[in-house]
Amino acid sequence: MSETANPRAVRPRVMPLPHELCWMLSSLHTAATKVLASADAAGATGPAGTTDLLRPLLPELSEAPSGRLDYRIAVVAPMKAGKSTLLNAVLSRELLPSRGPAMTVLPTCVVPVAAESVPEPVLTVPGSTIEGVTALAHRLARPGHRPAVAAAVRRHPHLAAAEARLSGIGAAGPPHRTVGTRAIRAALAEVNDLLRLALTALAHEDVLVQFPSLQPPEVVVPVPWMATDPAGGWLVLVDTPGPDEELPPGILDRFVRREIHRAHELLLVTDATRRDNEAEHTVIRMATSVQKPVFTVVNRVDLADEPWNAPSTPPQGSGIRTAARQGLAAVCVLWHPPDGERRHATSAAERAFLRTAFPLDWEHHADVLSGDEIRNLARRQWEQSGVPALLDQLITLRASNPGVWALADLLSRIASVGDPAAAVSGRPLAPRDGITVLAGRRQQIVERARSLYVRTPITWR
């Protein structure tokens, strides 16, 4: 794959984990490889299903000696819970596309960086995804599929633009790289609408045979809440599709489940205006089907008719209440202030903010409020939106040291290999080929990492 098709080529380089840890991780990878080789040669899974537990960790173990590990948080939600709007509020810009009808089909990775590192957001689409999207566009453009495409657009008029662009996308495919907030938003909308059109028009065909090659695009985004880039890796936020009432049941589940299994932690977003519906229960079941931390957000509390109550089957983790729409409108004013003296007309960001703050008479307030007054109102609305609490309690904590959080998760999963009770309690393991060596080296890394990162709020198990 060319450099332009590699999302990681766009990220600023960060300092790796300490050299001593990298050396120890290299020896841990070597020990794990020997354990698997020995088990394969013996034709067995080893004690307590060693190979079944260890083999899925090998990709991360092979990457760990580089000293740069991503910490992935998958954002999962029912359809139209305001997930993309919440992520936009976290990113302090309207980057991810959203609208009334469902939008997200293909998961999108978002990597926050310091504002000084990258002047504008940069979207990179992997080559395999470009090939898959192009193949679907060619299929939709076939003469035999035109009636089905036209019928799909009649049912969903918002897909008309995707139909009109079929010939262009089919010929060249989406671009490898797109720069700028507005251009990225449009590019993501085009790709997602094309995929939605394919799923709708070709429902009788197994179009998902094209989907395994579709890997998430990645956006590197400068954000105001990161003063410097971290060490040891990157925080990756993954926007996922929700259960979609407009598509056959479960058709997008494979995308969501794939990202849930890849993630280290889950951010579950529910809708305060649509409590205890089947889509919410589906998402909660998916989020709690894996042994991973779940942080819960109840969004759109500003639109709820009655006070929010906890879901009937709450997942693990603390929850907060957010009004992402209000938070996004406010932070766009705070982070993108007008330059120089106050202009005679309010900016687009200020008008959007005033519409959320004063929906009935926002034009009057635009005429009478000064720039400082609008910013003071925006600051108050931002603090009340709940998004700063989400940043403080989850996002910035992981973003400050993502490599260490990812390392802690990796070491925790290795603790289950062989004899979990012994690995946790520290009592000696009986000689079992390379399991004893593997457990001993893992424990050395835990002890060294604990001493290096004593102030990081991680439980080093």
Side-chain angles (χ1 to χ4, degrees), residues 76-84 240-245 268-271 274-275 277-284 297:
V76 296
M79 187 181 73
K80 305 313 299 174
K83 168 178 49 62
S84 296
T240 66
D244 194 334
E245 293 91 341
L268 171 64
V269 183
T270 60
D271 185 350
R274 300 173 60 200
R275 304 299 297 162
N277 57 77
E278 183 55 35
E280 178 182 286
H281 291 302
T282 298
V283 172
I284 290 177
V297 168

Side-chain angles (χ1 to χ4, degrees), residues 382-393:
W382 168 248
E383 293 297 333
Q384 294 174 348
S385 70
V387 181
L390 173 62
L391 285 169
D392 291 342
Q393 297 179 32

Side-chain angles (χ1 to χ4, degrees), residues 1-337:
M1 186 180 296
S2 67
E3 181 179 343
T4 55
N6 180 10
R8 292 197 174 197
V10 180
R11 302 183 190 180
R13 287 189 62 83
V14 295
M15 291 294 294
L17 296 168
H19 177 75
E20 179 185 0
L21 280 183
C22 294
W23 181 84
M24 297 174 75
L25 287 167
S26 180
S27 68
L28 183 66
H29 174 244
T30 300
T33 304
K34 288 182 178 179
V35 168
L36 290 173
S38 175
D40 290 342
T45 62
T50 299
T51 58
D52 294 337
L53 294 169
L54 188 57
R55 198 177 301 280
L57 302 181
L58 203 58
E60 284 182 79
L61 281 168
S62 64
E63 186 177 355
S66 72
R68 295 182 178 91
L69 291 170
D70 290 342
Y71 189 80
R72 297 173 71 95
I73 299 178
V75 186
V76 296
M79 187 181 73
K80 305 313 299 174
K83 168 178 49 62
S84 296
T85 303
L86 181 63
L87 275 171
N88 283 337
V90 166
L91 300 172
S92 306
R93 63 174 74 230
E94 289 204 60
L95 181 76
L96 301 174
S98 61
R99 64 182 176 209
M103 169 63 74
T104 306
V105 173
L106 185 64
T108 301
C109 296
V110 179
V111 181
V113 303
E116 293 75 15
S117 299
V118 177
E120 291 186 273
V122 181
L123 166 69
T124 307
V125 182
S128 60
T129 299
I130 294 175
E131 294 172 2
V133 169
T134 303
L136 284 175
H138 279 304
R139 187 188 298 192
L140 287 170
R142 293 173 186 169
H145 288 146
R146 287 175 184 171
V149 171
V153 172
R154 284 194 298 272
R155 293 196 306 271
H156 308 287
H158 55 277
L159 298 179
E163 179 190 22
R165 288 191 295 265
L166 274 179
S167 59
I169 294 178
H176 283 294
R177 187 164 298 173
T178 305
V179 180
T181 299
R182 184 174 300 179
I184 290 173
R185 185 180 176 89
L188 290 174
E190 287 183 15
V191 170
N192 280 282
D193 277 353
L194 176 69
L195 296 177
R196 187 167 293 277
L197 180 61
L199 290 172
T200 305
L202 307 178
H204 61 289
E205 301 182 16
D206 186 13
V207 299
L208 289 181
V209 297
Q210 299 286 345
F211 276 33
S213 64
L214 300 180
Q215 295 299 317
E218 180 175 290
V219 192
V220 174
V221 189
V223 294
W225 41 266
M226 286 187 69
T228 59
D229 290 330
W234 289 103
L235 173 67
V236 179
L237 305 173
V238 187
D239 184 22
T240 66
D244 194 334
E245 293 91 341
E246 298 176 357
L247 295 175
I251 200 166
L252 298 180
D253 284 4
R254 68 174 63 185
F255 276 161
V256 181
R257 294 188 188 280
R258 182 180 70 183
E259 297 307 324
I260 285 177
H261 283 283
R262 286 178 176 177
H264 298 92
E265 194 166 359
L266 307 179
L267 173 58
L268 171 64
V269 183
T270 60
D271 185 350
T273 68
R274 300 173 60 200
R275 304 299 297 162
D276 289 330
N277 57 77
E278 183 55 35
E280 178 182 286
H281 291 302
T282 298
V283 172
I284 290 177
R285 285 194 296 270
M286 294 175 70
T288 54
S289 65
V290 294
Q291 297 297 318
K292 297 187 178 182
V294 179
F295 191 95
T296 308
V297 168
V298 181
N299 191 35
R300 306 181 77 197
V301 294
D302 54 317
L303 302 177
D305 293 331
E306 54 188 41
W308 166 76
N309 294 313
S312 56
T313 56
Q316 62 183 16
S318 301
I320 61 174
R321 304 170 61 191
T322 60
R325 181 180 61 97
Q326 293 186 353
L328 175 59
V331 77
C332 285
V333 171
L334 296 174
W335 199 40
H336 304 283

